Amino acid sequence: MRLVKKILKWIGYTLIVGIFIFTMFVLIPEKETVKPIKPRKNTKYWAMNEGFNIAYTHLKSYANSIKTPIVFLHGGPGGYIHSSIINTLDELTDLGHDVYLYDQRGSGLSDRLKKYSAISFQYHIDDLHEIISKKLKSKVILMGQSFGSEIIAHYSAYYPETIEKIIFSSPGTLGPHRIENNKYVDLDSVYQIPDSLKFIEPYSFVKDVDRIAFHPKAITLITGALLFDKKLISDKQADRMLNTLASKFTKGMVCDEKNVLPEEGGGGLYAFIATNQGDFPDVREKIKQLDIPIIVIQGQCDYIPFSSAYEYVALYKKSSYNFIENAGHEIWWEQKEKYLNVIREFLNN
């Protein structure tokens, strides 16, 4: 009995020490490794129906002939508009297109929302529809980078009449996972890489992402969010964690790591986690019925599989695939002119 009591006593001490250490890690402020993003001179805000603000940049065209506006959706989830894409797409205004780039709810310069449940994949679709129908009141050309492409694909299934063309840039894997005959489909076996395309595997950031999952703050954050719909860790602390992580995993976004651009501190960790939760409908059959012209642009060192990107080409009737050598996931970081030339040609046809 004495031995049992001693063991239980030591287990109790161990639990107390463990809880104390865990609590200390939670309470110690997260180190600021990346300065938080600040509004730019041309930053503007849309007041959304739900009572929060979405930040955007409007690149105005001064060409003689004003054409359909372009709306750009960034990657993520929890990503933001980086100044490099603003500078890149600004060159498209010479063609007569106004360009709008906005930070999705809960990230970038847009408002952080009080409740964790105020962000979801469906809310992102709803925001895009409100922006197009209530703010711009115009048919648009949509351009999505990575996760932004997934939002656009689902949006196009429900509101095709609002879209003139779509540009899918390094598109993320279309969700939900494709199922046929009650089995998950292996896209790599369906859309095999042509011999003419020579992909290069970039730096793998899986380990970097996995580390954050076991961080005491992350555990506390997820527990509070999923169980109580509460933000037990402040947005400020949470976003610092994501920005620190992003400064590491962006090495996987390029062919040559020397081309990585500095983080600008716009990550939204709650937006990242919330958007990845929950189910949403399969819109593939709806997309197959659409006549919207689309292009897919993918870099040689993209970490997204060819099969995932090519599925967009296979689903849309009027589609084409464009491969850019010596470029990673953020294509314009390394091959800006080639990237713009592909887009210009698509817009002019």
Side-chain angles (χ1 to χ4, degrees), residues 44 73 101 111 113 150 208 253 256 270 291 299 312 344-345:
K44 299 178 181 179
L73 280 76
L101 310 93
D111 287 347
L113 305 177
E150 298 175 57
D208 296 326
M253 305 292 173
D256 189 334
Y270 279 105
D291 289 318
Y312 290 78
R344 286 191 187 101
E345 182 177 356

Side-chain angles (χ1 to χ4, degrees), residues 200 255 259 299-301 323-328 331 334-335 338:
I200 299 172
C255 280
N259 296 321
Q300 186 177 22
C301 302
F323 181 77
I324 297 184
E325 294 183 343
N326 301 315
I331 302 172
E334 296 176 289
Q335 298 296 335
K338 289 182 180 179

